[in-house]
Amino acid sequence: MLAPLASSLASFSSPVDISRDQAADEAARELSRAGYQHEPLFDRLRREFSQFIGDLMSGDGTGTGGVLSLVVIVVVLVVLAVLLLWALRRFSGSARTEPGAVFGRSERTAAEHRSEAERLAAAEDWAGAIRERLRAVARDLEERAVVAPLPGRTAMELAEAAGQALPSHAADLRAAARLFDDVTYGEADGTREGYLTLAALDERLRSARTGVTA
């Protein structure tokens, strides 16, 4: 396949002055012959890309052409980097938590969330204690099959699902969800009273049964 091109290039060995454009046209004619029609697509794309890069780099770096070539190369590299980062973020999306979700990335039991809540309350970190206590409520309801586990569930979605199963506690569950959202996403300060109210609800729900008023 290279024989026709080699023969053509050999004809230019004589000291004939030929312009770059004429040489490119001659090369294009050679490549369009039948011997190149069966060139694999990948090899063709690679060759054309290499030729494109070579044309860009052909400037001396000091003129307008050289500066433009450098700008184009930088833009291409930036675009490739952005696409790579986007792909990595998309593939790692399953490890992220949905905005507003009750649970973070860690998997804990209701007892572990409850113990952490009590530790935070002892340190007077009321916002953190409120968050962990509601997580204890959510995990306890899942462990007792009052609500089905649902990754990414928000506090209000939890309140709605649990309120349907435990209608006598529906209003308190919605109030607890609002409190959780306020201290977690609304930047509200947690209070001792708010935590004690949530802890009392947790204790009532632990003895509640589906469809039965506690």
Side-chain angles (χ1 to χ4, degrees):
M1 182 174 66
L2 296 178
L5 181 58
S7 176
S8 177
L9 292 177
S11 65
F12 293 111
S13 60
S14 60
V16 177
D17 188 13
I18 182 171
S19 68
R20 179 178 176 181
D21 292 338
Q22 291 174 331
D25 292 341
E26 182 64 24
R29 282 195 294 271
E30 287 294 336
L31 292 175
S32 64
R33 293 179 180 177
Y36 294 94
Q37 297 302 316
H38 302 290
E39 181 182 13
L41 178 61
F42 177 77
D43 291 341
R44 181 179 178 183
L45 292 176
R46 182 177 58 183
R47 174 175 52 77
E48 292 181 352
F49 179 75
S50 298
Q51 182 178 355
F52 172 72
I53 295 297
D55 291 340
L56 289 179
M57 298 297 294
S58 62
D60 59 5
T62 58
T64 304
V67 173
L68 180 60
S69 300
L70 181 60
V71 170
V72 171
I73 293 174
V74 170
V75 169
V76 170
L77 292 177
V78 169
V79 170
L80 290 176
V82 170
L83 291 176
L84 178 61
L85 289 175
W86 175 81
L88 291 176
R89 284 175 174 270
R90 183 174 182 181
F91 283 117
S92 63
S94 58
R96 296 198 304 268
T97 304
E98 291 295 327
V102 173
F103 296 110
R105 297 183 181 181
S106 61
E107 290 287 338
R108 293 181 176 179
T109 65
E112 290 172 338
H113 282 297
R114 198 171 287 116
S115 176
E116 179 65 10
E118 292 173 353
R119 184 189 69 80
L120 293 171
E124 297 187 353
D125 181 358
W126 302 117
I130 288 170
R131 282 191 292 267
E132 286 301 314
R133 197 72 187 209
L134 185 71
R135 288 166 181 160
V137 169
R139 188 66 78 197
D140 184 75
L141 292 173
E142 291 179 353
E143 291 173 352
R144 293 193 292 122
V146 176
V147 298
L150 180 63
R153 171 185 278 143
T154 66
M156 196 55 66
E157 289 171 344
L158 170 70
E160 293 299 327
Q164 293 178 4
L166 303 168
S168 62
H169 298 282
D172 292 336
L173 283 164
R174 286 193 294 270
R178 285 192 295 270
L179 177 61
F180 176 88
D181 287 342
D182 288 343
V183 301
T184 304
Y185 307 107
E187 300 182 356
D189 295 331
T191 63
R192 179 176 182 273
E193 291 73 18
Y195 173 73
L196 292 178
T197 299
L198 188 51
L201 175 62
D202 182 23
E203 294 300 324
R204 292 197 302 272
L205 291 175
R206 293 174 69 182
S207 61
R209 293 295 180 269
T210 304
V212 178
T213 301

